[in-house]
Amino acid sequence: MTPAPVQLVWFKRDLRVADHAPLAEAAARGPVLPLWIVEPGLWAEPDASGRQYVVQRAAAAELDADLAALGQRLVVRVGEAVAVLEAIRRTLGIAAIWAHQETTGAFGHARDRRVRAWARAHGIPVHERRQTGVIRALASRDGWARRWEAFTAAPIVTPPRALVPVVIEPGRIPEPAEIGLAPDPCPGLAPGGRRAAESLLASFLAARAATYRRAMASPLAGWSACSRLSPHFATGTLSIREAAQASRAARARAPGPLREGIDSFLTRLAWHCHFIQKLESEPALEHRALHPACEGLRADGPGTERFDRWASGATGWPFVDACMRCLAATGWLNFRARAMLVSVATMHLWLDWRPVGLHLARLFADYEPGIHWSQVQMQSGSTGVNTIRLYNPVKQGLDQDPDGVFIRRWVPELSFLPAPAIHRPWEAGVSGYPAPIGDHAALAVSARERLWSVRRGEGYRRAADAIQERHGSRRSGMRQTGQRRRAAQAALDLDP
Ligand SMILES: Cc1cc2nc3c(=O)[nH]c(=O)nc-3n(C[C@H](O)[C@H](O)[C@H](O)COP(=O)(O)OP(=O)(O)OC[C@H]3O[C@@H](n4cnc5c(N)ncnc54)[C@H](O)[C@@H]3O)c2cc1C
């Protein structure tokens, strides 16, 4: 008897068996072929890097073990998606494809279009389910927060009890070099995989969240006070719903500061989806400034001295360099330090946000296109609707690293300097560390002037209002009245 065609579950950035609706639904219908496609084309994109792959690989290895315990190992194939699917169709037959919706960059969009056309041609249904609060083909932002609450409160999907084995060679997870990835040393990279995610969530909700609000702004204290779950949301080893429900349960029994920390964390879980929704609704924001008047403001990127010094952690502003070097060595930074790196690059150094964003994307082990490009646009003043913050690189160091501990760790050339002198080494006549790339205060004023002249332009406000309507949050706390919105549009915050 010929075996029945398989129910193919295509794992992408949802590398877990828990809270996985496509897996559960597929398993209820017949033998499941769980597939992970390693696409060399995707890994050749300019925003991809070896460290991101290492995190995904670890997640896929644990997923393989979890699926094996259910009865069927993860099937790994390297190649172009349609070619991989076609080979499986020819040998086993495919009854249906099950997957989570994914908000991706241009490569993923084009690949999904090709797969849908191929599936249609062969009469194979493709069933996609939501895995975050992001809503496909969203008509209006009204009511979005309510729908996010409902999505995250829905029951967690239990994994199937067992999978019927399929006769197929499982394949092997390739080494980074085998798919053309250049070496990407990252000695401080945090481990990927479901077990690490569970342990981070548990320690955060039990204790670490108590210092979260106080410490999240510092790259030093934030290392242990932030959840550090972002690479897990990016690879899907933990779902947003699992994190939200565990947080709500922990919150109910948590004392004061712990409860407040968990509340802030829950707010950020909603931000995760709020920002990805922007790319879902406007895929072009990966490449084009949201506000048309902000397009083409800057042109410079790699190859200019300003870019290369910023990218290599050699601006001569110690706190900025420490943040860049920490990121290069660990794949992680807290929110404020990320924002400052973009602000310094695109304001003080007047570099184009696109190559700036690409450089950071490759360094982020938690790279999530929807959050990343929305944030890069926001911090570079390209959205037209947010207050623009020009971070003062020296003041940020004094505020977030007053004793210079973080700088000493990442810029050892300066380790002999006491604080506060370590924040302004040029005043101490230090050798062996670059002189500052410029006078940051003067550079900030000049950036502000340039941005002001754009914001004063004809029709600027009208376009900004339309952007706010399309992408702005409607949450009560964040709702912007016309007056507040205009104030935000007019605001250029210098960090004196
Ligand atoms: C320029 C820039 C680029 C960024 N790129 C990314 C990216 O590629 N991937 C990514 O996950 N985050 C990105 N962020 C958002 C934020 O900095 C990280 O999510 C956070 O630092 C990750 O650490 P954590 O998991 O400990 O966060 P926590 O503070 O513990 O927050 C928990 C989760 O909430 C979400 N979250 C927190 N802050 C934000 C925020 N401001 N916007 C959206 N979601 C948020 C994340 O999913 C995070 O894992 C970026 C921020 C900036 C300014």
Side-chain angles (χ1 to χ4, degrees):
M1 200 174 72
T2 337
V6 295
Q7 303 288 332
L8 188 142
V9 178
W10 183 1
F11 285 90
K12 296 175 187 167
R13 293 191 304 137
D14 50 355
L15 300 169
R16 62 177 185 276
V17 296
D19 201 25
H20 201 292
L23 176 63
E25 291 186 55
R29 283 167 176 77
V32 167
L33 189 152
L35 175 70
W36 186 48
I37 309 178
V38 181
E39 300 163 278
L42 177 71
W43 292 105
E45 287 288 294
D47 53 358
S49 64
R51 63 190 58 197
Q52 296 161 9
Y53 179 67
V54 167
V55 175
Q56 282 205 20
R57 233 175 128 218
E62 280 194 20
L63 173 63
D64 181 27
D66 290 344
L67 286 165
L70 295 176
Q72 171 58 52
R73 287 189 62 185
L74 182 67
V75 173
V76 181
R77 292 291 181 268
V78 179
E80 193 275 325
V82 170
V84 168
L85 293 168
E86 173 61 10
I88 296 172
R89 186 191 72 80
R90 281 174 182 237
T91 48
L92 294 173
I94 300 175
I97 295 177
W98 301 83
H100 273 124
Q101 290 175 357
E102 202 191 13
T103 303
T104 63
F107 180 94
H109 273 283
R111 173 252 274 143
D112 286 350
R113 264 198 308 276
R114 285 197 307 276
V115 168
R116 273 196 289 273
W118 166 86
R120 242 191 334 271
H122 293 285
I124 299 172
V126 178
H127 305 291
E128 286 191 304
R129 301 289 179 256
R130 286 171 70 195
Q131 78 155 334
T132 68
V134 174
I135 299 165
R136 195 150 273 184
L138 180 69
S140 159
R141 272 285 187 149
D142 292 347
W144 187 92
R146 200 175 8 86
R147 292 169 78 178
W148 186 86
E149 295 289 338
F151 177 84
T152 55
I156 287 175
V157 181
T158 39
R161 286 232 188 116
L163 295 173
V164 179
V166 175
V167 182
I168 186 168
E169 161 60 36
R172 180 178 63 78
I173 299 176
E175 295 294 324
E178 290 176 85
I179 54 165
L181 280 164
D184 182 13
C186 189
L189 188 66
R194 173 80 180 180
R195 307 294 166 269
E198 286 171 340
S199 136
L200 283 173
L201 182 64
S203 66
F204 181 74
L205 296 178
R208 293 190 292 123
T211 52
Y212 181 55
R213 280 155 74 115
R214 187 160 27 91
M216 68 164 81
S218 152
L220 188 64
W223 185 262
S224 51
C226 292
S227 75
R228 309 278 312 284
L229 279 166
S230 48
H232 298 283
F233 295 133
T235 47
T237 47
L238 184 73
S239 77
I240 289 288
R241 178 158 43 209
E242 287 179 289
Q245 292 195 12
S247 302
R248 289 178 190 131
R251 182 195 183 283
R253 47 177 194 271
L258 189 59
R259 190 170 57 243
E260 286 160 18
I262 295 173
D263 280 341
S264 297
F265 176 68
L266 272 164
T267 304
R268 280 159 184 79
L269 292 182
W271 290 1
H272 168 276
C273 305
H274 164 78
F275 280 96
I276 299 177
Q277 182 73 59
K278 293 176 196 254
L279 183 66
E280 177 66 38
S281 301
E282 189 143 355
L285 71 76
E286 193 187 0
H287 302 295
R288 211 174 50 228
L290 260 182
H291 196 298
C294 301
E295 188 51 56
L297 277 184
R298 311 127 164 136
D300 289 346
T304 58
E305 190 200 349
R306 280 169 295 137
F307 186 93
D308 295 347
R309 283 183 61 176
W310 170 81
S312 59
T315 61
W317 294 319
F319 189 62
V320 173
D321 294 342
C323 287
M324 185 61 88
R325 295 181 195 187
C326 168
L327 175 60
T330 67
W332 186 85
L333 266 186
N334 64 324
F335 171 80
R336 184 179 284 246
R338 295 183 196 212
M340 182 195 69
L341 285 181
V342 173
S343 168
V344 164
T346 59
M347 305 292 182
H348 300 78
L349 303 181
W350 206 248
L351 295 164
D352 185 8
W353 57 270
R354 281 158 279 232
V356 163
L358 283 176
H359 179 76
L360 293 175
R362 287 189 292 269
L363 292 181
F364 290 159
D366 60 17
Y367 174 53
E368 175 60 64
I371 302 179
H372 186 69
W373 292 108
S374 306
Q375 282 289 352
V376 170
Q377 287 229 14
M378 206 164 135
Q379 306 302 336
S380 63
S382 308
T383 66
V385 292
N386 306 100
T387 300
I388 298 175
R389 183 118 199 247
L390 283 99
Y391 288 86
N392 173 331
V394 174
K395 179 172 180 292
Q396 284 301 310
L398 287 163
D399 288 351
Q400 306 305 336
D401 183 30
D403 301 327
V405 176
F406 184 73
I407 295 178
R408 250 173 242 117
R409 180 174 304 167
W410 295 107
V411 189
E413 308 93 288
L414 300 177
S415 56
F416 64 93
L417 275 177
I422 196 166
H423 295 280
R424 293 191 185 86
W426 54 92
E427 289 175 359
V430 164
S431 62
Y433 177 69
I437 196 161
D439 172 349
H440 66 81
L443 289 167
V445 168
S446 136
R448 191 169 72 150
E449 289 307 312
R450 286 158 131 169
L451 290 170
W452 258 125
S453 63
V454 175
R455 288 195 163 210
R456 275 194 297 258
E458 176 108 1
Y460 184 91
R461 185 170 291 169
R462 221 174 313 112
D465 283 349
I467 294 164
Q468 175 65 30
E469 184 55 32
R470 187 163 163 72
H471 293 291
S473 163
R474 312 288 205 273
R475 279 188 81 105
S476 50
M478 293 161 79
R479 188 175 197 110
Q480 291 194 321
T481 60
Q483 204 179 6
R484 276 181 64 199
R485 184 163 68 246
R486 276 187 285 283
Q489 286 164 17
L492 281 165
D493 240 15
L494 268 185
D495 188 17

